[in-house]
Amino acid sequence: MSKVAIDMPPKGGFSFDLCKRNDMLVKNGLKMPSFLKTGTTIVGLIFQDGVILGADTRATEGPIVADKNCEKIHYIAPNIYCCGAGTAADTEAVTDMISSQLTLHRYHTGRESRVVTALSLLKSHLFNYQGHVSAALVLGGVDITGPHLHTIYPHGSTDTLPYATMGSGSLAAMAIFESKYREGLTRDEGVELVAEAIRSGIFNDLGSGSNVDICVLTKGHKEYLRNHETPNPRTYVSEKGYSFSKKTEILLTKITPLVEKIEIIEGGDAMEE
Amino acid sequence: MDPTAGDLNGEHSMGTTIIGVSYNGGVVLGADSRTSTGMYVANRASDKITQLTDNVYVCRSGSAADSQVISDYVRYFLHQHTIQLGQPATVKVAANLVRLLAYNNKNMLQTGLIVGGWDKYEGGKIYGIPLGGTVLEQPFAIGGSGSSYLYGFFDQAWKADMTQEEAEKLVVKAVSLAIARDGASGGVIRTVTINSDGVTRKFYPGDEHPLWHEELEAQNSLLDILATGTPEPMVS
């Protein structure tokens, strides 16, 4: 009697079938893809009116540059920004999560977010994951209590400093800060020092490169200077351009912008309980 | 990978030298200020003496993350306890709260702490809470990697019923001796003195440490010479 296979409905929950397939592939010699890491140089410093954050823009996947112009300065609150080094997915996810939590907190309290709140939320999340969430952050912002700058490490420890660097290029950038930082820098001096520190990381660290991003935070005002400096332009472009073989299909794209339709209703019914 | 930089995202440990000494009338807590990841100094000016209440402080050593989280929890519990009790918490209660966390999570934590403070019932008290979560009331306690070099020193130099100045001098001398010999300790010396009058924080920057054998005096940094704009030409 042939065995009849009954189609069982899936029981729900996580299906581990692909995990078995992955194990089999690894056993047969396939190399698992590595994580997209931000090799990175990220810095922050406190100047006389607030905080300046800086970052490079290279994202690496092992030895390959995956993104030549990624954004490493993440929004946390209107007055708080955070640079992230480590696994790109982890830094994005953790900063987005805390940013959402802070928005809800602002609705609850009716007040501007404080940097120490973001710090506590980030530190407790990272500690709970015991270092497996590979996010090393430089958190800076200006709130009612003044300007603040903190570093947060993947295991959940934090430091509060007047100037800080993180990432693979941190030693190069810290060398610049240790020799040139002083208290009471003006905005332009601060921006120039941060740019110099990031450039030091870009040119001396293989995991950092491309452009310099800067974010200046002062009381009630923020300036996000995306690609403030581009010291690595593409120097050679072939004059001949690209030639495609005859078989290449040329697709045309037509982009129709969406227009907002605003309809004003005259009169209408009053809202009733 | 560059051996000096090590794993920059690795666990931060405070190599550390931490000391707590009680004298007649209060306690003096002392610590260095170096936080290292491998061979890189992540923070050369950290504050390892953390406040738990107005009258109780804790010196942290070992894993930076673990010790910060324990201090945060105990500060929160002590705040609740003070509200419920209606008066300031005693040092013994603070030490026991730290001990409960350290002992019950001993498999996951790697931190040695020294709790010190003053309360009106027992005066100045020092409690040492090393790795496994033992709590031991001691007239003085030392901890951290630099403490290995201080056991003999304290056997010889510590005596009962010191005055506040003697205790402070002893703590500063001991931390500077440990800094001289332990690579994982360095930076500045911080002390906190707690007695019936309140809390006093003192700070001794690197060039004010006492010097021991074969140590150089504090030099003017090359940066100062460069900043003046007229560096002298090198003469061989």
Side-chain angles (χ1 to χ4, degrees), chain A residues 123 127 153 158-159 163 178, chain B residues 8 12 43-44 65-66 68:
Chain A
K123 135 204 288 247
F127 182 78
Y153 293 91
T158 60
D159 285 315
Y163 54 94
E178 286 284 26
Chain B
L8 288 171
H12 271 221
N43 188 352
R44 60 180 170 85
D66 293 346
Q68 281 179 10

Side-chain angles (χ1 to χ4, degrees), chain A residues 36-40 84-91 134-136 167, chain B residues 9:
Chain A
L36 177 64
K37 287 186 77 89
T38 47
T40 305
T87 306
D90 287 340
T91 58
S134 177
Chain B
N9 286 343

Side-chain angles (χ1 to χ4, degrees), chain B residues 93-176:
Chain B
V93 165
N96 271 291
L97 285 170
V98 174
R99 182 261 305 179
L100 284 172
L101 283 173
Y103 178 75
N104 289 327
N105 297 298
K106 61 160 75 186
N107 294 326
M108 291 167 294
L109 294 171
Q110 200 176 51
T111 168
L113 303 148
I114 297 179
V115 177
W118 183 94
D119 58 54
K120 69 182 188 195
Y121 298 106
E122 306 232 24
K125 283 287 179 198
I126 296 282
Y127 292 86
I129 304 163
L131 240 46
T134 327
V135 67
L136 191 55
E137 200 267 304
Q138 297 162 295
F140 70 89
I142 55 179
S145 57
S147 66
S148 319
Y149 307 99
L150 298 176
Y151 284 99
F153 172 72
F154 268 89
D155 283 342
Q156 198 250 12
W158 182 83
K159 50 188 184 14
D161 292 322
M162 286 185 283
T163 64
Q164 183 177 326
E165 288 85 63
E166 286 176 330
E168 281 179 5
K169 271 215 181 67
L170 179 67
V171 165
V172 172
K173 187 174 180 187
V175 178
S176 76

Side-chain angles (χ1 to χ4, degrees), chain A residues 10-26:
Chain A
K11 273 194 183 151
F14 188 76
S15 162
F16 288 89
D17 300 337
L18 284 178
C19 295
K20 284 192 185 165
R21 178 207 74 154
N22 290 343
D23 284 340
M24 183 272 291
L25 286 170
V26 168

Side-chain angles (χ1 to χ4, degrees), chain A residues 168-188:
Chain A
S168 56
S170 64
L171 270 68
M174 187 51 99
I176 300 292
F177 274 170
E178 286 284 26
S179 55
K180 296 192 178 167
Y181 179 83
R182 55 187 167 76
E183 277 184 40
L185 289 163
T186 64
R187 182 208 172 271
D188 292 330

